[in-house]
Each structure stands twice: as structure tokens, then as C-alpha cells.
Amino acid sequence: MHIFDIFSIIGTVAFAMSGAFVAMEEEYDILGVLVLGLVTAFGGGIIRNVLIGVPVTTLWAQGDLILLAVLSVFVAFVLPMPWVRHWKRTEVLFDAIGLSAFAIQGALYATEMKHPMSAVIVAAVLTGIGGGIIRDLLAGRKPLVLRDEIYAVWAMLAGLAVGMGWFKSTLELILLFAAVVFFRMLSVHYKWKLPRRSLATGDIYIGTEPKNHPEPNAERAIVQDQTP
């Protein structure tokens, strides 16, 4: 089995189950759970294919992966509640696994098509985060990649590493996969964040935000209470 196929399988299972659990959290019916699981697993790849010139219809040639995603969603749907609760404690880890696997898979795909470095990085990012963004939007949530700890940066670095040819052999790509997962989990543990600015306070936060910064809604409520 080619390393490309291995990363496809890992990413498909991780993201399909991630989408299924998000759908169940929002109390979707079984059809909604299936749709959200499939969209999470394949959405990023479809967006990537559109941008790098691959026919979208190639999705239907991935019958085995589609079946694997459906089975993963079904397993998530029937898991006993203690297992589901355990999943919730490790959800970030599975999301990191899907991010890493799909980012490397997308970069390899663009590299094999002889695309320039910019396209390789875009392919890595969109494949790694695209499905998660669509999942969160369909679930009525703010996309994780836009608000949480450093996320898409690791996909960009994975794409850069593959595009530059620093990681080529199977062992090297597995090490890169492990490194992306490791650093994503570090960013979650230590709450590393990209710089952001709050319009409520005017402050610019670099790294981690102070825990006592006021919430925008709370500040608006205070201002309204003070007006006659």
C-alpha cells in the first residue's frame, strides 16, 4: 500500500468520526450525522481538487474510502455512551491526526502533479482544514481554525516541508505526520494562539490571551446599563 493511501485512510476515519460526533452534539438525525461525517471527510479534498484543476468527479472513484467513511460514521452512531465520552476527551487528538494526515496527503497530491510551491501549500491547508470548516459551518459553529489554538499553520508547514522535498521516503513522511500531530497537541496544551485584536478593548493579544479580559457582550451590557 502506498503511503498516500495510508494517509488517506487515517484522515478519512478521523474526520468522518469527528463530523459524526459534532452532528450528534447538535442532535441531528441519522441522515444529518451521515452527511456531516461525509462532508468532513471529503470536503477539504473536493475544495483542493477544484483549485488545483482536478475533476471533482474523481471523488466517485474513491469507492473504498467512501465506504470506509460511512462505516466510521455508523460506528460512531452506535458506540456505547462511555466510549463516546472517552472520544470527547480525545477529540482534539483525532482532529490533529486528521489534520496532519490530510495536509500531507494534499501536499503529496499537488507535488505529484508538478504544481508550484504556492499550490502545494494551498493544497495542504485546504485538504487539512477544509472539511473541518464546512463541518463547523453546517453545525452552526464558528470554524475551529479561525478561533482556536494554532491550527492551519501546522498544515502550511507540512505543505512547505513536502514541497521543498525535505520529507520524501515513507519513514520521513511518517515522522512528519507525527511531528504535525505533536505540535498541534502542544499548541492546544499550552494554548498557543496567533496574534489577535479585540474590538471591545482595543488590545492586541500575542500568544495566549489573559484569562481576565472582558467578553465583548459583557462590555456592551455594562455600557447599556450605564446609559440613562
Side-chain angles (χ1 to χ4, degrees), residues 66-200:
I66 294 175
L67 178 60
L68 180 62
V70 171
L71 291 176
S72 300
V73 170
F74 178 75
V75 169
F77 191 79
V78 300
L79 277 179
M81 283 308 299
W83 290 26
V84 174
R85 295 189 187 99
H86 177 71
W87 161 270
K88 291 303 299 176
R89 290 194 294 268
T90 59
E91 181 180 9
V92 176
L93 174 61
F94 276 83
D95 195 72
I97 291 172
L99 169 72
S100 180
F102 272 168
I104 295 173
Q105 183 235 48
L108 289 172
Y109 204 91
T111 302
E112 289 180 358
M113 295 184 66
K114 309 299 182 183
H115 283 299
M117 176 62 68
S118 58
V120 173
I121 294 176
V122 168
V125 172
L126 289 180
T127 313
I129 73 174
I133 289 179
I134 299 174
R135 173 200 64 201
D136 292 340
L137 291 176
L138 291 179
R141 301 179 174 186
K142 292 181 180 179
L144 181 73
V145 65
L146 302 180
R147 61 179 172 83
D148 210 344
E149 294 83 13
I150 295 177
Y151 191 95
V153 171
W154 305 124
M156 294 174 63
L157 293 177
L160 177 65
V162 172
M164 293 294 292
W166 297 336
F167 295 84
K168 292 183 178 180
S169 69
T170 299
L171 178 60
E172 290 172 343
L173 290 170
I174 291 175
L175 290 176
L176 177 61
F177 166 76
V180 173
V181 173
F182 177 73
F183 282 108
R184 166 58 185 158
M185 296 305 295
L186 275 185
S187 66
V188 171
H189 180 74
Y190 291 106
K191 299 187 182 302
W192 295 341
K193 295 178 181 288
L194 294 174
R196 64 183 65 188
R197 186 176 187 182
S198 170
L199 292 180

